Amino acid sequence: MTEIALALTDEHASTTRRARRQRLQDAAFRNATLFFALVVLLILGGVTVSLIDGALPALRVFGFGFATNEVWNPVTEEFGALAPIYGTLMTSIIAMAVGIPVSFGIALFITEMCPAWLKRPLGVAIELLAGIPSIIYGIWGLFVFAPFMQSTIQPFLIATVGQVPGIGNLFTGPPYGIGILTAGLILGIMVLPFITSITRDVFETVPPMVRESAYGLGATTWEVVWNVVLPYTRTGVMGGVMLGLGRALGETMAVTFVIGNAHRISSSIMAPGTTISASIANEFTEAVGDVYTASLVALGLILFLITFAVLSIAKLMLLRLQRKAGV
């Protein structure tokens, strides 16, 4: 009996030590993950504070009119962010208008209709596109794509769409080759592999039985995609689109090569323009004086706010869609 009691005591003590050790490990793991989460928030807060602090000299001089003034004149130290904001938004809109439909089409082809022997090579080719440095896109855009736009695409648009009342103003003017349209198309090519890869991956998470059930009920491929695949994967698809939009809003080198870097707003999207990131990259090393430097930092702050606002709106839209679907 004594031996049994000692054995039970030892087992109880061992169990107690094991439970204590597990509690310590859980607490250490919880504190470590909390620390990493707080580090992310601290970095975000530090970036925000740094941008606000660096932009204060310009905001004190120009106030909120900085965001509504088109003039950018380093000689007279008069700076406005309207032209870069306009260029950033327009190039991103063009990029999304090109990238989203093409990316969806490629993802649908790969997951729904692509032959088995072609699926892997096509997927690898798309992933390789994502690995090409942006400066390569810029060089290709300047020396290959821009001349093609100048000699072929832009004259065609001027002669056709440019003659349509209303929207024709967007396609008027001389065919420079470079400009907002060219930069937007380059961005559309750049965001395509990101949206395609994520969309393809989330499309493949749809259970095969769900697809087969829809096809068994007589649904067409389009009906399966629209009524089954997209509702099932809307969160992942939205995430892919937002990743592409974030890349388009913040892209620097490729845009700098082909947008023309002109601080002005034109009614034509074929005219040269600039973006926030291109303006910062072009002029930061040449900025002389506190106001000039602070104006460039203020551009960075505006880009930060635009990105934050776009992502917040996208999240709210997604929550509303989920609420309507009863998720």
Side-chain angles (χ1 to χ4, degrees):
M1 295 294 293
T2 303
E3 293 178 354
I4 295 175
L6 290 174
L8 291 175
T9 302
D10 291 341
E11 183 178 354
H12 178 71
S14 176
T15 302
T16 303
R17 289 193 299 270
R18 189 181 306 112
R20 186 182 299 112
R21 186 169 59 251
Q22 288 176 345
R23 286 196 298 270
L24 290 174
Q25 290 174 347
D26 290 342
F29 180 74
R30 182 172 59 254
N31 292 330
T33 54
L34 176 61
F35 171 76
F36 295 145
L38 292 177
V39 166
V40 173
L41 294 177
L42 287 174
I43 292 174
L44 180 61
V47 170
T48 305
V49 171
S50 298
L51 288 173
I52 294 174
D53 181 65
L56 278 178
L59 296 179
R60 289 194 185 101
V61 175
F62 305 111
F64 290 103
F66 178 77
T68 59
N69 185 14
E70 182 184 348
V71 178
W72 187 274
N73 192 336
V75 177
T76 60
E77 290 196 337
E78 184 177 0
F79 301 101
L82 187 60
I85 292 173
Y86 171 80
T88 299
L89 296 179
M90 287 301 297
T91 53
S92 299
I93 290 172
I94 294 171
M96 291 297 100
V98 173
I100 292 176
V102 176
S103 299
F104 274 33
I106 296 173
L108 289 176
F109 175 75
I110 292 176
T111 56
E112 301 292 334
M113 295 168 283
C114 184
W117 61 269
L118 184 59
K119 183 174 294 188
R120 182 176 293 275
L122 190 57
V124 171
I126 292 170
E127 292 170 359
L128 287 176
L129 279 177
I132 298 176
S134 59
I135 194 170
I136 302 301
Y137 282 106
I139 293 173
W140 174 78
L142 180 63
F143 293 106
V144 178
F145 191 65
F148 175 73
M149 289 287 294
Q150 183 181 29
S151 62
T152 306
I153 302 297
Q154 290 184 348
F156 173 77
L157 292 175
I158 293 171
T160 54
V161 186
Q163 307 303 315
V164 178
I167 64 171
N169 291 330
L170 295 173
F171 302 93
T172 57
Y176 293 106
I178 59 174
I180 289 178
L181 176 61
T182 303
L185 294 177
I186 293 292
L187 284 178
I189 297 172
M190 293 181 67
V191 303
L192 190 148
F194 295 94
I195 302 176
T196 301
S197 296
I198 295 177
T199 305
R200 178 200 61 191
D201 291 340
V202 298
F203 281 176
E204 290 178 344
T205 63
V206 179
M209 184 178 296
V210 177
R211 281 195 178 96
E212 293 169 2
S213 299
Y215 283 121
L217 292 173
T220 63
T221 301
W222 171 250
E223 291 171 336
V224 170
V225 170
W226 186 254
N227 298 313
V228 177
V229 176
L230 282 178
Y232 190 89
T233 61
R234 65 163 62 91
T235 302
V237 170
M238 184 68 74
V241 172
M242 288 302 103
L243 177 64
L245 180 57
R247 176 70 187 272
L249 286 170
E251 177 53 41
T252 303
M253 292 308 300
V255 174
T256 304
F257 272 88
V258 298
I259 198 169
N261 302 307
H263 280 275
R264 63 172 180 267
I265 297 176
S266 174
S267 61
S268 174
I269 61 175
M270 294 192 295
T274 189
T275 64
I276 293 175
S277 55
S279 297
I280 296 173
N282 276 324
E283 303 186 32
F284 208 87
T285 57
E286 302 174 358
V288 178
D290 293 339
V291 176
Y292 195 176
T293 303
S295 298
L296 293 174
V297 177
L299 286 179
L301 176 62
I302 291 174
L303 180 59
F304 178 82
L305 294 176
I306 290 173
T307 305
F308 181 80
V310 168
L311 294 178
S312 299
I313 293 171
K315 184 64 176 178
L316 291 174
M317 290 173 57
L318 184 59
L319 290 175
R320 183 173 297 179
L321 289 173
Q322 291 176 339
R323 194 177 298 114
K324 287 182 178 180
V327 178

